[in-house]
Amino acid sequence: MTLRQSSDMKKFKECLKTAKEIVILSGAGISAESGIPTFRGAGGYWRKYQAASLASPEAFRNNPSLVWEFYHYRREVAAKAEPNAGHKAVANFEAKTSSSKKVTVITQNVDGLHARAGTKSLIELHGNLFKTRCTKCKEVLVNTDTPICEALTNRGAPDSTVVGSDIPIKSLPHCKKGTCGGLLRPHIVWFGESLDPDVLNKAEAAMSTCDLCLVVGTSSVVYPAAMFAPQAAQRGAIVAEFNLEPTPTTSEFHYYFEGPCGKTLPVALNI
């Protein structure tokens, strides 16, 4: 590194003031402060299921009813959550510097909290809980209905004594486009699936030209997003990490600020 890793906030803010293209790369940590479960690590369970085991094409093929109960629960939690001070600081910074800086937020989160906080230039790498995709015609639509279908009313509680799901497939969400009638699925990038090429291209384009990158609330272990910040640092961009604890890539970055994003970001982005 050309610069020794630092926690000098004043020095970081000087870099922020002179930067022209800024990318804010966010992960589960910022939304955890709004009460969104991370579903990673030891606590990543819903009922008796490891969350990752329900977030796959195979799980949906084998038991779409169970998968929809899980995602109904996630939608309900996200709908009730509120953007926290970290989300708001990002949105306020983008709005305040719109005439002098290009700010892009790339998020691995699917909860929609960045948009609800007011962020405009937003790339959602892994999709959105409040979008559906038809398994037949592939149409993607925004859907904020609560519940998304009548059969999911009072379903999805994370009660470990509940086993399986008995909702008939015909009662699950289905496409209403013309005569399609295809089964809908959450518009989420599941394990074993590739990111949407257009979304990935937009993210890579923003990362390739930014002169400053903020890594916010992400452990930087999920690919391809895990490559973004290290590659930016290698080509000379300044990278600052904001996390509760150091990550495997912390030593590769110029700045590291420890603590909740809801406390560190409002200070860092107030210029």
Side-chain angles (χ1 to χ4, degrees):
M1 297 297 297
T2 54
L3 293 175
R4 190 162 62 88
Q5 184 195 334
S6 168
S7 57
D8 186 333
M9 184 64 81
K10 183 179 178 182
K11 201 170 182 180
F12 165 75
K13 291 174 83 164
E14 289 173 0
C15 294
L16 191 64
K17 286 178 182 177
T18 58
K20 296 299 182 185
E21 293 192 29
I22 299 163
V23 167
I24 299 172
L25 180 62
S26 76
I30 188 169
S31 289
E33 294 175 36
S34 289
I36 304 292
T38 62
F39 290 117
R40 285 197 168 274
Y45 282 84
W46 173 79
R47 296 181 181 170
K48 65 182 181 65
Y49 305 96
Q50 192 164 18
S53 71
L54 298 175
S56 73
E58 294 76 19
F60 192 69
R61 279 197 299 269
N62 294 336
N63 198 335
S65 172
L66 184 66
V67 172
W68 261 118
E69 281 207 40
F70 173 55
Y71 277 92
H72 169 64
Y73 166 71
R74 294 188 65 182
R75 283 165 59 95
E76 293 291 292
V77 170
K80 292 171 184 172
E82 293 293 335
N84 62 55
H87 294 109
K88 293 174 183 177
V90 169
N92 291 340
F93 175 75
E94 178 195 34
K96 189 166 58 175
T97 61
S98 61
S99 61
S100 59
K101 302 181 189 299
K102 179 183 177 183
V103 179
T104 304
V105 178
I106 303 174
T107 186
Q108 299 171 82
N109 300 334
V110 295
D111 48 52
L113 290 178
H114 275 299
R116 284 172 56 195
T119 293
K120 304 299 183 189
S121 182
L122 178 63
I123 299 172
E124 295 175 313
L125 286 177
H126 296 156
N128 189 301
L129 287 170
F130 301 99
K131 289 182 180 179
T132 60
R133 183 161 81 247
C134 179
T135 57
K136 188 176 177 182
C137 75
K138 311 304 179 186
E139 183 179 47
V140 175
L141 290 175
V142 172
N143 187 310
T144 57
D145 294 347
T146 304
I148 191 169
C149 67
E150 189 177 343
L152 285 167
T153 303
N154 299 322
R155 295 292 193 117
D159 184 347
S160 61
T161 63
V162 177
V163 179
S165 177
D166 59 359
I167 301 174
I169 291 180
K170 66 179 182 180
S171 299
L172 294 173
H174 281 75
C175 183
K176 297 178 181 177
K177 182 180 179 181
T179 59
C180 178
L183 179 64
L184 298 182
R185 57 163 279 181
H187 184 55
I188 302 290
V189 180
W190 282 332
F191 291 97
E193 295 182 326
S194 300
L195 298 188
D196 182 305
D198 291 338
V199 173
L200 182 57
N201 287 341
K202 287 178 183 178
E204 289 178 338
M207 289 303 310
S208 69
T209 58
C210 71
D211 46 8
L212 177 63
C213 174
L214 281 68
V215 178
V216 175
T218 174
S219 57
S220 299
V221 295
V222 178
Y223 284 84
M227 302 183 297
F228 289 168
Q231 288 176 348
Q234 287 168 12
R235 67 168 176 77
I238 300 297
V239 180
E241 182 181 15
F242 296 78
N243 261 322
L244 285 176
E245 56 189 19
T247 66
T249 52
T250 300
S251 61
E252 299 180 39
F253 303 147
H254 303 80
Y255 294 95
Y256 172 64
F257 300 102
E258 190 166 298
C261 299
K263 290 188 176 180
T264 56
L265 284 179
V267 175
L269 296 177
N270 183 24
I271 61 170

